[in-house]
Amino acid sequence: EVQLVESGGGLVQAGGSLRLSCKASGFAFDDGALGWFRQAPGKEREGISCVSNWDSRTYYADSVKGRFTISSDNAKNTVYLQMNNLKPEDTGVYYCAASPNTCYPYDHWGQGTQVTVSS
């Protein structure tokens, strides 16, 4: 059974930083992809970043380029999202997702971690 556990969310002031982690178990990250989505209240879920070992690709949404950095530790089956220069519009629940190959579509989802950026 694939399990994805996110951590690292919290409350931060605008301009601050947070680092999210997603630990995957029961998932072959060496051959697949892990990505990050977020969902703000009243808005659709947005894909913001992904890293794929299957095709060696990294993806960022335009809204986070230059501020967020995705990285991974294959030995720990963990993906990280370093979020710098956070803005109030970055507020939402951040979800980790897993794909057996490239960055889309995803088969498995975590429970999410709340990120709140105050102005």
Side-chain angles (χ1 to χ4, degrees):
E1 179 185 2
V2 175
Q3 288 191 328
L4 304 172
V5 180
E6 303 97 334
S7 61
L11 173 64
V12 65
Q13 288 188 331
S17 299
L18 284 174
R19 188 194 193 207
L20 305 183
S21 299
C22 172
K23 170 72 173 175
S25 59
F27 174 69
F29 183 35
D30 284 352
D31 298 321
L34 288 172
W36 288 97
F37 286 73
R38 67 185 178 192
Q39 188 163 21
K43 294 189 177 180
E44 292 187 356
R45 187 171 57 193
E46 173 190 17
I48 56 174
S49 188
C50 176
V51 58
S52 172
N53 286 324
W54 187 75
D55 55 8
S56 301
R57 288 189 175 185
T58 302
Y59 163 82
Y60 293 98
D62 288 342
S63 58
V64 305
K65 278 181 183 176
R67 300 188 297 123
F68 291 10
T69 303
I70 193 167
S71 62
S72 60
D73 185 334
N74 289 358
K76 296 182 178 180
N77 243 26
T78 299
V79 66
Y80 306 96
L81 187 68
Q82 178 66 44
M83 306 186 295
N84 297 330
N85 190 22
L86 283 161
K87 304 175 181 180
E89 53 263 41
D90 294 317
T91 294
V93 179
Y94 283 67
Y95 298 92
C96 179
S99 165
N101 37 65
T102 191
C103 283
Y104 182 84
Y106 295 92
D107 294 342
H108 305 281
W109 296 83
Q111 294 299 308
T113 185
Q114 176 71 44
V115 171
T116 303
V117 184
S118 62
S119 57

